[in-house]
Amino acid sequence: MKRFAQLLDALILAPARGAKLRLLVDHFRSAPDPDRGWALAALTDGLDFPAVKPAAIRDLAATRIDPVLFALSYDYVGDLAETVALLWPPTGIAVHAPLHEIVDTLARARRQDAPALLAGWMDRLDSDGRWALLKLVTGGLRVGVSARLAKTALAEHGGVDVSAIEEIWHGLEPPYAALFGWLDGQGPMPPKTGALGFRPMMLAHALDDADRAALSPRDVAVEWKWDGIRVQLACDGTGAVRLHARGGDEIGGAFPEIVTGLEHRVVADGELLVGTGFRPAPFADLQQRLNRKAPSRALIARHPAFLRLYDILFDGEEDLRALPFATRRARLETWFAQRVAGTPADGRIDLSPRLDATTWEDLARLRDGSAAIGAEGLMLKRLDSAYVGGRPKGSWYKWKRDPMHADAVLMYAQRGHGKRSSFYSDFTFGCWREDGELVPVGKAYFGFTDAELARLDRWVRANAVDRFGPVLVVARELVCELAFDGVQRSSRHKSGLALRFPRIARIRWDKPAAEADRIDALEGLVGRDRADPR
Amino acid sequence: MTMRMRPETWIRPTPQGLYVEPGDFFIDPVRPAARAVVTHGHADHARPGNESVLATAGTLAIMRARYGAAAGGTLQAIGYGQSVRIGDVTVGFAPAGHVLGSAQIVLEHGGSRVVVSGDYKRRRDPTCPPFEPQSCDVFVTEATFGLPVFVHPVDADEIARLLGSVHRNPERAHLVGVYALGKCQRVIRLLREAGWDAPIFVHGALAELCAVYEQAGVALGPLRAVAGAEPRDLAGAIVLAPPSALADRWSRRLPEPLAVAASGWMRIRQRARQRGVELPLVISDHADWPELLGTFADVDAPEIWVTHGQEDALVHAAGLQGRRARALRLIGRDEDGGP
Ligand SMILES: [Zn+2]
Ligand SMILES: [Zn+2]
């Protein structure tokens, strides 16, 4: 437990991705089995202790800590695990139980026994150990490590490609003995995922000017970029069906109308949407379905889901991923004609159409018209591209509609992280309300040159008027042009609105703050977009 | 038999500070006063412009270094264990263990005894004599770390963590954020005790008070100014600077600076994270929660007045000890992160 606590502590304070990666590699290299495997599980959300809930931890704290002092402390610290860890009365010399012992015991524990077990461990841990224990059992470590980063560290530790880890990941179980055996050079590579397992998805790059110059429209297949969520359909040929979301989570249970009636073994890639007659409804409708693990019949009738496929990875036993896109597309169409057309699945699965375009002008016209059919823009997939998990360069591109723009006034600035930690690089912007008040609409990050960043940093320091902790309040004088993907209603912002993915397009040194946009202008944009497919 | 004057009839909080009526003086006044008695040299306690100041020699030296001629009209030095008569009040000074020169003010009037402790801590500090408990009827306490989450670890262990990081990262400069008065010199002394003999680099804002400590007989070893140092000298070095410099453009001159902070606040992880601190050291010049409550027992005061910090929890806990406690809510004290 001590090493695990040290790891979490170091990770939460590590300023940058590189530093976190080093810590993880070092841990996977030197921590003993099976503890390193349990640490990996904790970092990748692979652990769940249904016997422990946050309320139980609060109740447990109440058995040892004065309620007034607990409430004042929790109020001050703001994090339940940290508050309880710091307040738990010390009982003597710390004896760290090994991580695996805690995991094993708790996994078998009944709900009514969990509090006594936790109390016993906490009595013997120091405050760092208690904090790590409480983080572990309540899930959601929030130490700034994504599953992808953990896998990257594994790959670095074993000297293998991260895609090889992804390929076997979904067939692995904590504490990952076979995985570590292989990475240590002590055992064979674990078997790849079975028929129903998740295969790493192939992702697209945002098309930039350089890509456009290098790419001929004749070399790509063109499809709409749908505004649903990306899913992988896997059927094992005996009637079992899985629907995996981007991270590999199984979500088929929430969409029973789709996963019934498919009998041929296949793995296909597509978009999950809701709507009747294959007409996509706004993303908010899909969101209602995603929020329900077990949808009512009424909800299904109101927002029926359908699956729009655009690629095929396995047809029967045959792995098609190394074939060029054009060939896979032909195989997809054949499979659809033979296995779906005329079956009960027919009304719920269709194919994403291929669009005709031979010039960039054609493509631009299509893209500009994409809103009318409920798409976000275009997908451009090289006809010769193999299906490669991750985000390979130079294969697939997404070309979204032009983002929306607004001129907003800089209100608050905060320092960045890592390399930029001495610069103010996180900014909150506001627009004017009817009554003349400036209200925040979102936080934007600066993605431009170091020279511009330095100039902005100087401006912020010279124009600060107040400070709240790490946040500087600046004079309301500087206007920036923000680009964003849409506007949503938000109860968190005073403006009632939040920009989606705002970024600074341009600093308008020339523009007076009074001429920045008004909230009404943003109001008009609400609902003109939907969330990014995940 | 003499009537005992209840303390609240002769000492009371005012917007200008704690006022002692039978002596007509203020303790740590926030605005210039005719007569000031000062506990210690931190800027939220010792302010410039008083007509006369009574304080320890250490505190007066700090005030002179900070304020020059504005340190006060007449400056009267007094030693620990000594007392003077001001009006109808006996005013004594006892060590507070907080920083160089820091004192508790022991007031006697009308048969009762009030101790105004200023800021204090209970553990050893190589730069000043330790806190001496004075039994009293009313103990006036700070509450900077007045929550049970604040328990300061052993400072030598924290220093060992710093040195461990320096050894693991020989190419980086360890930039340690410290308050200019007290924390800076204590961290230097602790480093020396841990065997760190190399020159320690100090930000210009810290140099003058280091000289005051040296003059008071606290040997700090070789110190060097950061200004003018070559980046290669700074790799693997320990650099002390005010906390604000951690985020400042100033830090860009250092090779791969590793942000360290030495403060009691560093006990709270989220707080360290928010401030971009990579290596938090929990080293404080204030009493932690057990020390605060332990001190109430040591001075055995039936009544506790709380001046500044996290008053609510401390008032509650003093009540659980069976003491009458109240918050004075003095204004002008640093509520947060202050010295
Ligand atoms: Zn103070
Ligand atoms: Zn102080």
Side-chain angles (χ1 to χ4, degrees):
Chain A
M1 193 66 195
K2 196 178 179 75
R3 288 220 48 181
F4 180 65
Q6 285 169 341
L7 175 69
L8 292 192
D9 195 39
L11 284 172
I12 201 170
L13 296 169
R17 186 179 181 277
K20 290 183 202 287
L21 188 62
R22 274 198 302 282
L23 289 164
L24 290 168
V25 172
D26 181 56
H27 191 80
F28 294 145
R29 194 156 286 167
S30 60
D33 283 320
D35 284 6
R36 59 179 169 166
W38 292 119
L40 175 61
L43 289 164
T44 53
D45 281 337
L47 282 180
D48 186 26
F49 299 108
V52 190
K53 293 277 166 283
I57 291 173
R58 218 166 302 178
D59 293 345
L60 189 58
T63 65
R64 303 281 180 104
I65 302 159
D66 177 89
V68 174
L69 296 178
F70 179 81
L72 289 167
S73 298
Y74 187 25
D75 203 39
Y76 180 86
V77 175
D79 178 274
L80 181 66
E82 182 152 25
T83 308
V84 176
L86 290 172
L87 288 180
W88 195 260
T91 47
I93 292 166
V95 186
H96 281 261
L99 180 58
H100 63 88
E101 191 182 303
I102 291 174
V103 172
D104 288 345
T105 311
L106 213 47
R108 285 195 308 267
R110 291 174 307 168
R111 181 176 289 223
Q112 63 267 36
D113 298 333
L117 284 169
L118 281 178
W121 286 315
M122 292 212 285
D123 282 343
R124 279 170 283 128
L125 289 167
D126 57 16
S127 85
D128 287 353
R130 289 192 291 267
W131 173 71
L133 172 68
L134 294 173
K135 285 281 173 197
L136 177 80
V137 300
T138 52
L141 299 177
R142 280 196 290 270
V143 292
V145 174
S146 63
R148 179 74 182 178
L149 186 65
K151 291 171 195 165
T152 306
L154 289 169
E156 201 170 311
H157 160 55
V160 300
D161 203 88
V162 66
S163 65
I165 308 250
E166 294 280 15
E167 190 70 26
I168 56 172
W169 181 256
H170 291 274
L172 300 173
E173 292 276 341
Y176 307 105
L179 171 69
F180 281 107
W182 170 54
L183 295 176
D184 290 348
Q186 310 286 322
M189 182 172 176
K192 296 192 179 175
T193 313
L196 290 172
F198 175 69
R199 323 282 161 166
M201 283 182 182
M202 180 160 172
L203 306 174
H205 285 269
L207 184 79
D208 64 23
D209 292 346
D211 297 327
R212 195 165 4 159
L215 200 65
S216 161
R218 293 174 188 281
D219 294 337
V220 295
V222 183
E223 299 164 3
W224 297 116
K225 184 180 186 323
W226 298 108
D227 192 9
I229 66 164
R230 181 83 179 272
V231 288
Q232 188 175 89
L233 171 73
C235 315
D236 73 349
T238 69
V241 178
R242 297 276 185 279
L243 216 47
H244 295 285
R246 265 250 309 252
D249 296 342
E250 216 289 307
I251 58 168
F255 298 91
E257 72 266 47
I258 287 186
V259 299
T260 47
L262 287 164
E263 267 148 27
H264 182 73
R265 180 167 176 179
V266 72
V267 178
D269 189 4
E271 199 87 1
L272 180 67
L273 295 155
V274 299
T276 42
F278 291 112
R279 268 192 313 278
F283 187 81
D285 293 358
L286 175 56
Q287 189 68 54
Q288 292 197 37
R289 290 291 308 266
L290 290 170
N291 291 343
R292 289 290 161 77
K293 282 218 167 99
S296 65
R297 224 175 281 165
L299 183 64
I300 294 175
R302 196 158 62 243
H303 300 301
F306 66 94
L307 192 55
R308 179 156 283 168
L309 298 177
Y310 33 67
D311 213 327
I312 185 166
L313 284 65
F314 284 80
D315 185 0
E317 302 277 323
E318 189 185 355
D319 186 348
L320 307 179
R321 289 176 294 175
L323 300 175
F325 177 85
T327 311
R328 293 201 309 277
R329 174 74 198 200
R331 294 286 298 263
L332 176 68
E333 288 172 10
T334 305
W335 170 81
F336 185 82
Q338 291 175 351
R339 305 289 179 180
V340 179
T343 75
D346 199 356
R348 300 182 304 272
I349 299 181
D350 75 347
L351 298 186
S352 187
R354 272 187 67 178
L355 307 175
D356 282 330
T358 49
T359 66
W360 283 106
E361 288 70 40
D362 294 343
L363 288 170
R365 220 168 309 124
L366 280 169
R367 186 186 64 146
D368 292 343
S370 60
I373 59 142
E376 297 187 299
L378 300 178
M379 294 298 302
L380 311 179
K381 299 175 178 175
R382 284 196 66 101
L383 292 164
D384 58 4
S385 59
Y387 193 99
V388 179
R391 208 183 294 273
K393 285 211 169 67
S395 295
W396 289 9
Y397 301 95
K398 50 189 174 190
W399 196 30
K400 293 214 218 176
R401 282 198 305 277
D402 273 336
M404 304 171 185
H405 289 261
D407 286 335
V409 183
L410 180 59
M411 300 177 72
Y412 312 113
Q414 209 172 334
R415 280 180 291 116
H417 295 286
K419 230 175 82 187
R420 289 184 157 177
S421 62
S422 68
F423 291 92
Y424 283 91
S425 57
D426 297 2
F427 304 105
T428 301
F429 289 91
C431 286
W432 299 107
R433 219 163 50 181
E434 190 89 42
D435 60 6
E437 203 187 339
L438 188 64
V439 287
V441 294
K443 230 178 166 180
Y445 304 91
F446 198 81
F448 287 78
T449 65
D450 284 354
E452 280 177 294
L453 179 60
R455 188 171 169 201
L456 197 51
D457 179 73
R458 270 197 305 283
W459 189 91
V460 164
R461 288 170 195 275
N463 290 277
V465 295
D466 204 347
R467 168 189 285 278
F468 297 106
V471 179
L472 279 192
V473 183
V474 298
R476 291 161 174 194
E477 282 168 13
L478 185 65
V479 177
C480 287
E481 182 182 324
L482 303 185
F484 46 92
D485 288 358
V487 185
Q488 288 171 324
R489 300 235 172 259
S490 159
S491 53
R492 278 190 311 123
H493 285 100
K494 202 171 169 187
S495 61
L497 299 176
L499 303 183
R500 279 196 46 230
F501 190 44
R503 57 262 187 205
I504 301 172
R506 227 159 20 125
I507 308 174
R508 297 294 307 266
W509 300 105
D510 55 319
K511 190 158 190 168
E515 290 174 24
D517 277 314
R518 300 190 11 175
I519 287 289
D520 325 3
L522 295 177
E523 285 277 352
L525 299 174
V526 172
R528 289 255 312 268
D529 72 293
R530 285 160 299 261
D532 219 0
R534 272 144 301 158
Chain B
M1 188 180 120
T2 51
M3 264 288 282
R4 270 167 60 129
M5 294 274 291
R6 291 177 46 214
E8 61 267 35
T9 63
W10 55 271
I11 173 168
R12 61 172 191 272
T14 72
Q16 198 170 346
L18 261 185
Y19 179 60
V20 182
E21 199 175 310
D24 189 24
F25 62 87
F26 288 90
I27 298 176
D28 296 349
V30 294
R31 286 198 302 273
R35 196 193 290 268
V37 175
V38 174
T39 59
H40 69 286
H42 277 142
D44 56 330
H45 294 260
R47 294 177 196 256
N50 297 299
E51 278 169 45
S52 85
V53 178
L54 176 66
T56 63
T59 297
L60 293 176
I62 290 160
M63 291 176 74
R64 273 192 218 97
R66 282 204 155 152
Y67 304 133
T74 57
L75 307 179
Q76 184 187 351
I78 182 167
Y80 293 129
Q82 295 180 343
S83 59
V84 293
R85 212 50 204 164
I86 305 180
D88 206 12
V89 187
T90 306
V91 183
F93 278 63
H98 175 55
V99 296
L100 177 71
S102 63
Q104 312 172 63
I105 315 290
V106 185
L107 305 163
E108 284 169 293
H109 172 74
S112 58
R113 200 160 131 99
V114 176
V115 171
V116 181
S117 55
D119 292 337
Y120 64 99
K121 68 173 174 292
R122 298 303 303 274
R123 54 193 71 198
R124 174 184 168 273
D125 180 339
T127 70
C128 62
F131 181 97
E132 288 174 10
Q134 311 291 312
S135 63
C136 51
D137 301 301
V138 174
F139 184 70
V140 184
T141 183
E142 60 147 323
T144 305
F145 293 112
L147 279 173
V149 293
F150 292 109
V151 179
H152 308 327
V154 175
D155 52 17
D157 293 350
E158 299 298 286
I159 292 293
R161 293 203 299 121
L162 171 59
L163 291 177
S165 177
V166 171
H167 288 303
R168 282 194 306 279
N169 299 282
E171 72 293 347
R172 303 182 68 179
H174 281 64
L175 176 58
V176 188
V178 289
Y179 296 120
L181 169 57
K183 188 70 61 61
C184 167
Q185 296 79 18
R186 177 165 164 227
V187 166
I188 293 173
R189 279 295 318 157
L190 290 171
L191 282 166
R192 299 307 184 203
E193 289 182 356
W196 183 261
D197 300 325
I200 293 172
F201 290 84
V202 291
H203 185 283
L206 310 178
E208 187 157 30
L209 286 164
C210 287
V212 171
Y213 269 65
E214 288 268 4
Q215 278 152 26
V218 179
L220 300 177
L223 304 182
R224 282 178 58 185
V226 180
E230 294 293 325
R232 77 182 123 80
D233 299 334
L234 294 165
I238 296 175
V239 180
L240 301 192
S244 61
L246 253 52
D248 202 60
R249 272 172 291 179
W250 182 86
S251 71
R252 292 179 203 161
R253 71 183 72 194
L254 304 176
E256 296 181 60
L258 194 155
V260 187
S263 160
W265 303 112
M266 292 298 118
R267 173 90 165 153
I268 312 290
R269 252 181 214 89
Q270 297 299 341
R271 198 135 171 164
R273 187 189 202 182
Q274 276 162 16
R275 302 203 168 178
V277 171
E278 201 171 338
L279 179 63
L281 303 179
V282 187
I283 300 179
S284 174
D285 285 328
H286 295 272
D288 65 7
W289 179 258
E291 290 174 26
L292 289 166
L293 295 182
T295 302
F296 301 168
D298 288 347
V299 302
D300 200 21
E303 193 162 339
I304 304 292
W305 296 355
V306 184
T307 55
H308 60 302
Q310 308 286 333
E311 301 97 323
D312 296 349
L314 196 57
V315 166
H316 174 77
L320 295 179
Q321 284 186 340
R323 301 173 206 283
R324 264 175 300 143
R326 68 181 177 113
L328 297 183
R329 309 209 184 277
L330 288 183
I331 52 174
R333 296 278 185 271
D334 248 326
E335 290 293 320
D336 179 88

